Amino acid sequence: MKVRIKFTKTGPMQYVGHLDLLRYFQKAFRRAGVDIAYSSGYRPHQIVSFASPLGIGLTSEGEYMDAQFVTVDDSQTMIDRLNAVMAEGIRITQFLVLDEKERNAMASVAGADYRVTVRQGYYELVDFSDFCGEFLRQDAIFVTKKTKKGEKDEDIRPYIYEMRGTAEGLYLLLCAGSSHNLKPETVMEAFCAFLHMPYETFGFRIHRLDTYLQDDPDDITTLRPLGAVGHEAKTDHYETKE
Amino acid sequence: MNTLALSHEILMSIEKPARYIGHEINSVRKDPTKVDVRFAMCFPDVYEIGMSHLGIQIIYDMLNRRDDVFCERVYSPWLDLDAIMREKGIPLFALESQTPVKEFDFLGITIQYEMCYTNILQILDLSGIPICAKDRTESDPIVIGGGPCTYNPEPLADFFDLFYIGEGETEYYHLIDLYKKNQRDGGSRKDFLEKAAAVPGMYVPSLYDVLYHPDGTIMEMRPNHPNAPEKVRRQVVVDVTDTFYPEAPVVPYIKATQDRVVLEIQRGCIRGCRFCQAGQVYRPVRERDVEMLKSCAAAMLANTGHEEISLSSLSSSDYSSLKELTYYLIDVCREKRVNISLPSLRIDAFSLDVMSKVQDVRKGSMTFAPEAGSQRMRDVINKGLTEEDILNGAMEAFRGGWQKVKLYFMLGLPGETEEDIRGIAYLSDAIARQYYSIPKEQRNGRCAITASASFFVPKPFTPLQWAPMSDYKTYMDKAHIVNDCMKEQLNRKSIRFQWHDAKTTILEGVLARGDRRLCRVIYDAYRAGCLYDAWTEYFDYDKWMRAFDANGIDISFYTTRKRELDERFPWDFIDIGVTKQFLQREWKRSLAGETTPNCRAQCSGCGASVYGGGVCYESKD
Ligand code: SF4
C-alpha cells in the first residue's frame, strides 16, 4: 500500500544531503522493523521517494516521502516506532495511507512555504518586512538564471505567491515542483538587489514550513499540504498479516 | 544554539559537511564533565575510510561500556577544511562532543598503513598538540598509537608518547585504571608513561636509546628506565568469542567505503604466505564461535539497518564452521533483504554454490589472488595455490555462468626472473583459454579478465623481511615486460592489465622497515606540505625525496640494501610470539623455493603457541 510520511529536518541533519537522507531512511526503516515493500531481484531495494529535495543548510518541518508498505499498524504506532530509531533532527509527524490512485508526492508538488530570518551577524539594521509590498508591486522581477546554454533572464514574480513580514522575519509562499521550482534563496537574492544591498549567501536562515499540492493548476487558492490527502491508518482496517 | 564545532558558513563552504557533524546513529552521548577519562580515538584518514574500520568500532564500544570513560571519534579533516582550520585557527575537535581534542586525556591513533604518517602529524598539528612527544606538557593528551604499523613503530617514535602493541581488547582497561590512579596520586605525565611502560604490550619510545654501528645498522636498543622491558610482548585475545564485539556500530550519514555490517569471523591465518605481515603478526588463528557470530550478525543488522553484511578474515575458507554460518546468513538475509558479501573465499564447489545464491553471476566477478605468475615464484612466497587449482576454479566459475575474473599479482618478489614475470601474462591467457574451450553456444560472449599488479613491499616480521627491494626503474620495467607479453597472448582482447605506480611502493618500503632516524624526514615532508599520501592524486614523491636529501638519508639503505641474516632490525625489540629463528628458517626455505605446510596440515613450530590458544591447540588427526 502507498504511504505518505511527513517529517522534519533540523539541527545537524540540515547538513545531510538528499541522497544520504534517502540512505538514512532506508536504514531507519530496517532498524524500525516496519513492513516496507521491496523490489524483486538480486539487490532488492525499498520503493521510496521524496517529494521535494531540500537544499543542504535549509531546515524544514514540512518534508514528505512516499513509500510502499506491505502491512502497517495504526498511524500513531507507526510514528512512534519510526521516531524510536530516528536521529536528532528528524521527527516523523504524519503517517498516512494513500489511495492507490493518488499521485505520488514528487509529481504532485506545486508549492512550498518558508520562514526566512536573518542569521546573527548579518543585516543587523535592516527590517526586510517593511519592503515586501514594494518588492511585490513590481511588474516583473528578473533574475539571471544559469542554463546549459549560458545565462538567461527569467521573471520570477509570477512564482512568488505570497511574501510578507511576520513577527520573526519573512513568510514566503513559492511555486515548487517540476515545472517551476523557485528557491527561496533566489527570491532573497532578488530582494537584496531590489534594496540595493549586497546579497550575503549565509545571511538568512531558511526554514521550510510545508510542501503543497494544487488541485487546480490555474488556481493557487487550491494549494493544500501534501499531508492533507490520504487518511490515518487503523490497525483493524489495514492489518493484512495472517 | 550551535551544537556543532564548525559554523554554518564553514559547513556550507566545504565538501560533505556531514563528515564533521557527529550525531550519527549509535554514536555515544555522554556528559564529558561527568567522566574521569576522555579518550579521542582517531583514524588518520578521511571520514569515509575511517568509519569503515572495524577495529575502531570495537575499541569505541569497549571503552564506552565504562561509565568513567567517554570515547569519541576523530578523523582527518579533508584538505578543504584543513586549509580553513589553519587560516582561522580552529582546533581539531572530536565528533561526539564537538569539543577540541586537546582537552582530552588520551588521543589514540590507529596506524593502519605507512602512507598515513603525515596525516598523523596533521592530526596533532591541528589539535594544537606539539608534534614531538618531548615538547608536550601536562595539559596535552597522552598520544598512543596502535594498529598494524606498530609492528615497526620506530619511524614514528618521536611523535608518540606510547604505542600499544597487540590487540586492543586486552590492555586498554588496565591503562585507563593506571591513568586514573596516577591522576589521583597527583602524578605527572612522565610518571604515568614510566608506569605504563610496565604494562604488557606498552612501548614508551622515549625510554629507549638506540645505538648504531658505523654502517648505519642498529647495534643495540637499550632501555633507559628500569620499567622499560627489553622486549615488548605483543598482546593477544586468546578467546575471541568471550570478548568485546560492537553489536551496535555507528552508522554514518554519508556513504562510507564499507557501508555494511562487518563480521570478523576469526583472527589470524593458518596459511603462512611469506610476504604477508598479517599472516604472521596475528598468529595463531583463533576462530569465533559460530553461535556468537550468528547472534552478533542478527543484532548488528537490527541495530544498524545496514543492507549488506560482509564476513571479514584473512582467509574465510579456513573457518571451520563456514558452511553453517554462510547458510544461516543466506536464510536470514533473504528474509531481511540483506545482501551478503563474501570476500577472501577460495573458489571451490561450496563457494560457487554460495556465490550463485548471493550474487547475479552475470554481473559478478570471481577473484583469484595467485600473487605470482609462475609456480616457482608461488613456492618462494609459499602461496599454496597451484596453477591447476586456479584453472580448475576458473573453469568451474565459467561453467557456473561467471565471465568476469579478477586476478591479483605482485611484482618485484625476491629472486624473480623475467620468465616469472611473463608468467603473469601466461596465466591470464591460460584462464581465458579455459573459457574459450567451452563450446560457443554455451558461452555468453567474451570473458573479461582483469589482472592487476602491485609491487611487493617487504614488511617487518615476515620471512621476506630480509628481501631487498628494487629501484623505481626496475619496477616499472617489470610492469612493462608483463604488459608487452600480454599483447602477445592469444586472448589479449579478453585481458586487461593494470599496475600501480611504484613511487608509493618505494616510500612505503622505506617507512615499513625504517628506523627512528626517519622521524625527521616525516616531519620535514609534512612541513613541506605532504598530506594524504595514500591518495595518489595528492602524493608528492619529489617532496618526500627532498626531505630525505635534506636529512642526508639515502633511501637505498632501507630499500635495495641486502640485509644480513643476523642484522638487528629496528622492530626486533618486539616479541610477537613468532620467533626470529622461525622467520630465518622460512626465509632460507623461500630462497630455496621450498614450501611450508599450513598450521592445520602440520605445525611448523613458529613460536606463536606461547599464547596458549588457537589453532596450535586444536586436536589434529
Ligand atoms: S605454533 Fe604451529 S600451529 Fe601454532 S601458529 Fe605456529 S605454526 Fe601454526
Side-chain angles (χ1 to χ4, degrees):
Chain A
M1 77 188 69
K2 253 189 183 175
V3 160
R4 179 159 297 169
I5 295 169
K6 184 180 186 185
F7 61 96
T8 69
K9 184 171 184 261
T10 60
M13 290 306 287
Q14 68 187 282
Y15 301 107
V16 174
H18 172 62
L19 288 174
D20 291 329
L21 190 70
L22 187 65
R23 287 175 356 93
Y24 161 84
F25 269 110
Q26 287 168 343
K27 290 181 200 288
F29 288 137
R30 288 170 179 278
R31 286 195 301 276
V34 293
D35 196 8
I36 194 161
Y38 286 85
S39 66
S40 48
Y42 269 99
R43 301 246 145 174
H45 57 268
Q46 300 169 1
I47 303 155
V48 175
S49 65
F50 288 119
S52 168
L54 188 71
I56 290 192
L58 273 64
T59 56
S60 173
E61 59 193 82
E63 296 303 290
Y64 293 91
M65 70 193 304
D66 284 358
Q68 283 287 335
F69 273 68
V70 182
T71 61
V72 296
D73 282 317
D74 67 274
S75 288
Q76 194 52 51
T77 307
M78 295 305 285
I79 290 173
D80 293 344
R81 277 171 73 184
L82 290 170
N83 278 336
V85 299
M86 286 295 130
E88 183 183 319
I90 305 274
R91 290 280 96 192
I92 308 296
T93 53
Q94 271 188 312
F95 186 97
L96 301 161
V97 173
L98 303 184
D99 290 338
E100 283 309 311
K101 62 170 183 16
E102 199 67 62
R103 290 170 73 199
N104 73 40
M106 200 193 297
S108 47
V109 172
D113 57 358
Y114 303 89
R115 179 177 68 222
V116 180
T117 50
V118 168
R119 200 175 286 278
Q120 209 186 346
Y122 295 93
Y123 300 113
E124 265 160 8
L125 297 171
V126 188
D127 190 354
F128 285 94
S129 39
D130 291 350
F131 304 98
C132 288
E134 227 174 295
F135 178 61
L136 290 184
R137 273 194 292 280
Q138 303 175 90
D139 295 333
I141 301 172
F142 282 102
V143 297
T144 319
K145 225 175 134 184
K146 284 199 183 71
T147 63
K148 276 177 222 130
K149 290 191 202 107
E151 292 186 342
K152 127 176 169 218
D153 282 342
E154 195 200 16
D155 178 15
I156 59 168
R157 178 62 191 86
Y159 310 119
I160 305 175
Y161 296 158
E162 205 179 328
M163 180 169 176
R164 57 180 158 81
T166 64
E168 308 126 298
L170 297 179
Y171 171 84
L172 302 181
L173 174 61
L174 308 177
C175 176
S178 45
S179 55
H180 288 283
N181 197 51
L182 181 55
K183 289 186 181 164
E185 298 95 313
T186 310
V187 176
M188 293 315 292
E189 192 172 350
F191 197 24
C192 286
F194 173 73
L195 297 173
H196 303 290
M197 279 194 306
Y199 173 65
E200 299 276 2
T201 320
F202 307 121
F204 304 99
R205 268 179 208 282
I206 301 173
H207 180 76
R208 190 187 269 168
L209 296 163
D210 214 334
T211 313
Y212 300 86
L213 53 79
Q214 193 170 335
D215 293 325
D216 175 358
D218 299 319
D219 180 3
I220 61 164
T221 63
T222 62
L223 285 169
R224 285 193 294 157
L226 281 175
V229 295
H231 36 264
E232 297 271 307
K234 292 191 192 61
T235 313
D236 49 2
H237 212 246
Y238 292 97
E239 177 73 49
T240 53
K241 248 186 244 167
E242 278 101 291
Chain B
M1 192 191 70
N2 193 4
T3 52
L4 300 178
L6 299 173
S7 69
H8 178 75
E9 288 81 348
I10 293 176
L11 286 166
M12 293 301 291
S13 330
I14 54 178
E15 248 180 70
K16 305 191 185 177
R19 285 169 172 160
Y20 311 106
I21 60 175
H23 294 81
E24 303 97 321
I25 296 296
N26 298 331
S27 60
V28 174
R29 295 291 200 89
K30 288 185 186 182
D31 181 348
T33 63
K34 298 221 164 67
V35 295
D36 297 328
V37 177
R38 297 186 64 193
F39 199 109
M41 189 73 224
C42 169
F43 190 110
D45 206 321
V46 74
Y47 179 86
E48 299 91 298
I49 307 258
M51 276 301 288
S52 305
H53 186 250
L54 176 69
I56 286 209
Q57 300 256 16
I58 294 178
I59 308 282
Y60 179 79
D61 169 70
M62 178 184 94
L63 291 178
N64 279 320
R65 288 187 194 197
R66 283 178 64 141
D67 289 335
D68 56 346
V69 181
F70 185 12
C71 177
E72 308 186 34
R73 292 158 301 133
V74 179
Y75 302 99
S76 305
W78 188 242
L79 296 161
D80 53 357
L81 180 60
D82 174 279
I84 293 174
M85 292 175 92
R86 285 171 204 273
E87 187 203 315
K88 302 203 190 278
I90 299 168
L92 184 63
F93 54 92
L95 292 180
E96 279 73 4
S97 66
Q98 299 271 312
T99 57
V101 171
K102 197 172 155 62
E103 295 169 6
F104 282 65
D105 297 286
F106 285 93
L107 169 58
I109 302 178
T110 181
I111 318 167
Q112 296 288 322
Y113 30 85
E114 289 80 6
M115 302 307 279
C116 76
Y117 289 0
T118 53
N119 279 55
I120 295 174
L121 271 56
Q122 177 214 30
I123 295 282
L124 295 168
D125 199 11
L126 291 180
S127 299
I129 299 170
I131 291 180
C132 290
K134 65 172 172 28
D135 301 326
R136 290 180 198 140
T137 65
E138 299 299 327
S139 67
D140 291 304
I142 303 284
V143 181
I144 178 168
C149 290
T150 60
Y151 292 102
N152 177 21
E154 286 299 273
L156 297 170
D158 288 357
F159 314 125
F160 282 84
D161 297 304
L162 76 163
F163 290 99
Y164 173 48
I165 294 161
E167 294 167 343
E169 292 96 330
T170 57
E171 290 303 327
Y172 270 113
Y173 277 9
H174 297 154
L175 194 71
I176 302 267
D177 292 337
L178 189 72
Y179 180 83
K180 281 177 64 172
K181 183 167 186 311
N182 189 61
Q183 295 285 88
R184 273 200 307 275
D185 298 347
S188 66
R189 174 183 195 89
K190 189 161 168 287
D191 293 331
F192 170 69
L193 291 174
E194 287 172 0
K195 285 180 198 137
V199 174
M202 296 296 160
Y203 166 53
V204 181
S206 59
L207 302 185
Y208 296 79
D209 298 315
V210 184
L211 308 176
Y212 299 92
H213 289 296
D215 68 1
T217 58
I218 291 173
M219 184 159 71
E220 203 190 334
M221 192 159 159
R222 193 186 285 162
N224 62 31
H225 189 277
N227 282 1
E230 212 140 306
K231 281 257 181 183
V232 178
R233 163 68 73 87
R234 169 181 72 113
Q235 298 302 301
V236 309
V237 186
V238 178
D239 182 346
V240 289
T241 296
D242 184 18
T243 183
F244 302 97
Y245 204 82
E247 294 205 335
V250 179
V251 185
Y253 291 123
I254 55 174
K255 198 167 167 45
T257 316
Q258 297 249 13
D259 180 30
R260 53 181 79 100
V261 164
V262 179
L263 200 58
E264 187 196 41
I265 58 178
Q266 58 187 351
R267 287 248 172 102
C269 180
I270 59 168
R271 299 272 144 193
C273 297
R274 292 181 179 129
F275 57 86
C276 176
Q277 188 186 39
Q280 302 295 335
V281 303
Y282 299 129
R283 284 183 175 219
V285 164
R286 290 144 290 153
E287 299 191 340
R288 294 195 202 268
D289 181 74
V290 67
E291 295 307 322
M292 172 231 186
L293 292 173
K294 287 179 188 172
S295 81
C296 278
M300 289 168 89
L301 286 171
N303 291 330
T304 59
H306 280 312
E307 38 284 282
E308 185 166 321
I309 184 166
S310 167
L311 299 188
S312 152
S313 82
L314 294 165
S315 169
S316 301
S317 297
D318 296 323
Y319 177 62
S320 13
S321 312
L322 185 69
K323 274 191 189 162
E324 182 183 345
L325 179 65
T326 314
Y327 288 126
Y328 168 83
L329 288 177
I330 289 176
D331 280 350
V332 170
C333 293
R334 180 169 298 145
E335 182 198 327
K336 291 189 185 313
R337 273 39 169 241
V338 170
N339 302 311
I340 309 179
S341 121
L342 299 163
S344 71
L345 275 193
R346 233 187 352 262
I347 306 300
D348 54 22
F350 163 70
S351 60
L352 288 171
D353 173 54
V354 168
M355 299 292 257
S356 68
K357 289 197 167 81
V358 304
Q359 61 168 234
D360 182 349
V361 293
R362 286 274 166 78
K363 296 197 190 105
S365 60
M366 281 283 142
T367 302
F368 293 91
E371 309 289 2
S374 70
Q375 192 55 49
R376 191 186 78 80
M377 240 25 247
R378 283 193 294 273
D379 290 346
V380 165
I381 60 177
N382 203 41
K383 182 86 201 178
L385 190 65
T386 64
E387 174 144 354
E388 212 189 328
D389 294 337
I390 299 167
L391 294 182
N392 290 345
M395 194 58 177
E396 278 186 59
F398 291 143
R399 287 199 189 288
W402 277 272
Q403 284 158 269
K404 287 188 205 148
V405 175
K406 285 191 198 151
L407 300 170
Y408 290 99
F409 295 100
M410 276 187 293
L411 282 167
L413 290 162
E416 188 176 67
T417 65
E418 185 158 338
E419 227 12 56
D420 295 321
I421 296 171
R422 297 169 71 90
I424 293 178
Y426 302 152
L427 182 60
S428 307
D429 190 59
I431 293 172
R433 284 172 196 240
Q434 289 288 82
Y435 179 75
Y436 293 109
S437 73
I438 300 173
K440 200 165 183 179
E441 23 344 315
Q442 294 168 32
R443 312 197 294 251
N444 186 33
R446 261 196 203 153
C447 66
I449 295 171
T450 310
S452 313
S454 59
F455 299 101
F456 164 62
V457 178
K459 291 280 167 105
F461 290 113
T462 63
L464 302 189
Q465 62 180 344
W466 284 274
M469 291 178 70
S470 303
D471 57 23
Y472 178 72
K473 188 175 173 306
T474 314
Y475 282 130
M476 295 325 267
D477 288 348
K478 284 170 190 266
H480 287 114
I481 292 174
V482 181
N483 201 39
D484 292 345
C485 189
M486 286 286 188
K487 293 189 186 133
E488 297 159 10
Q489 302 306 308
L490 178 67
N491 298 300
R492 56 189 174 274
K493 293 209 171 111
S494 304
I495 308 171
R496 215 161 64 93
F497 177 61
Q498 54 195 27
W499 63 94
H500 295 261
D501 186 64
K503 285 179 176 163
T504 303
T505 309
I506 288 172
L507 183 61
E508 213 183 306
V510 174
L511 297 174
R513 291 189 294 176
D515 53 43
R516 285 183 178 202
R517 289 169 295 191
L518 298 184
C519 294
R520 291 171 305 163
V521 178
I522 297 170
Y523 184 87
D524 288 350
Y526 170 70
R527 283 293 176 220
C530 291
L531 196 60
Y532 282 103
D533 298 308
W535 297 65
T536 329
E537 59 273 46
Y538 299 109
F539 176 52
D540 191 336
Y541 182 73
D542 297 334
K543 263 189 198 148
W544 270 99
M545 291 305 125
R546 282 199 291 278
F548 281 110
D549 286 346
N551 285 285
I553 286 176
D554 178 2
I555 61 163
S556 68
F557 177 81
Y558 300 98
T559 53
T560 53
R561 179 173 63 90
K562 181 175 185 298
R563 286 157 165 87
E564 296 303 329
L565 199 61
D566 60 356
E567 177 171 335
R568 196 191 151 111
F569 294 133
W571 52 92
D572 279 350
F573 73 94
I574 300 171
D575 170 10
I576 64 158
V578 174
T579 61
K580 194 162 184 180
Q581 288 76 3
F582 170 76
L583 295 175
Q584 282 166 337
R585 217 155 63 219
E586 278 292 287
W587 170 232
K588 287 188 202 149
R589 292 176 71 88
S590 165
L591 293 175
E594 290 169 25
T595 59
T596 298
N598 73 56
C599 293
R600 286 215 174 92
Q602 189 198 330
C603 168
S604 307
C606 75
S609 60
V610 294
Y611 290 107
V615 65
C616 323
Y617 296 85
E618 281 172 9
S619 57
K620 289 176 190 151
D621 331 298

